[in-house]
Amino acid sequence: MTIAGRQRGWLNQETHLKIREEQFHVLARYDLLCPVYCLMPDHMHFLWMGMEMDSDQLNAAQFFRRYVNEVLEESNVRLQGQGFDHVLRGEEQRRSAFESLLFYIVENPVRAGLVDTSHNWPHSGTQVAGYPDLDWRDDDFRERFWKIYGLEIEKRVKHA
């Protein structure tokens, strides 16, 4: 999601936390997980995974954009009219493709010359309901994430 006119000056810890809160509501409402997100000075990346066959990331993104714009209005900026929403299909859903996308997202601040290592960028994270200590920066993140994902899928299958 790109800021209209690529405007800057809105990204700070307070805005980060507000966007994170809005995202949490979207994740709960649309039954999604966010293994990684990264807020950049002029755009944002979010990787969402649906937990149900009818999880709708495109509707979630539309809902999310509305509330993120309300947060951004406090800084006199808005998201550009249309974001780049991409649903992973086929080969893109393989674990290796997921890992590549995660790496691409977290390395954005390094490629932009904002930090030397992605681990030092303060405006990124992970959001999975019930796991507040899960963070993509942790050495055991991938192992923990896939275990949690499996447990969540298993729980849903049992209740179906």
Side-chain angles (χ1 to χ4, degrees), residues 23-87:
Q23 178 175 232
F24 194 77
H25 291 289
V26 171
L27 298 176
R29 180 180 180 132
Y30 289 92
D31 209 6
L32 305 170
L33 306 178
C34 179
V36 69
Y37 69 88
C38 183
L39 308 181
M40 296 290 290
D42 62 357
H43 68 282
M44 307 173 204
H45 293 273
F46 302 92
L47 178 58
W48 292 343
M49 294 176 68
M51 296 305 297
E52 297 289 343
M53 291 303 291
D54 62 350
S55 292
D56 190 332
Q57 289 96 328
L58 295 176
N59 279 341
Q62 183 178 10
F63 181 86
F64 183 58
R65 290 174 60 81
R66 184 172 82 212
Y67 289 98
V68 167
N69 269 325
E70 288 179 13
V71 169
L72 294 174
E73 283 176 0
E74 296 173 16
S75 300
N76 295 316
V77 299
R78 293 187 59 76
L79 294 171
Q80 77 178 16
Q82 177 59 42
F84 177 72
D85 303 326
H86 178 71
V87 176

Side-chain angles (χ1 to χ4, degrees), residues 90-145:
E91 291 293 314
E92 294 176 313
Q93 292 178 335
R94 290 186 174 271
R95 195 166 173 165
S96 61
F98 169 87
E99 299 284 340
S100 295
L101 185 54
L102 187 137
F103 180 78
Y104 171 81
I105 291 171
V106 301
E107 287 298 309
N108 251 255
V110 176
R111 285 192 303 276
L114 300 171
V115 289
D116 291 335
T117 174
S118 56
H119 286 68
N120 292 336
W121 186 245
H123 305 296
S124 65
T126 298
Q127 277 191 298
V128 175
Y131 301 91
D133 64 337
L134 187 64
D135 191 322
W136 68 265
R137 293 171 185 87
D138 294 337
D139 291 338
D140 65 343
F141 168 75
R142 286 164 176 79
E143 179 183 325
R144 283 190 66 212
F145 175 78

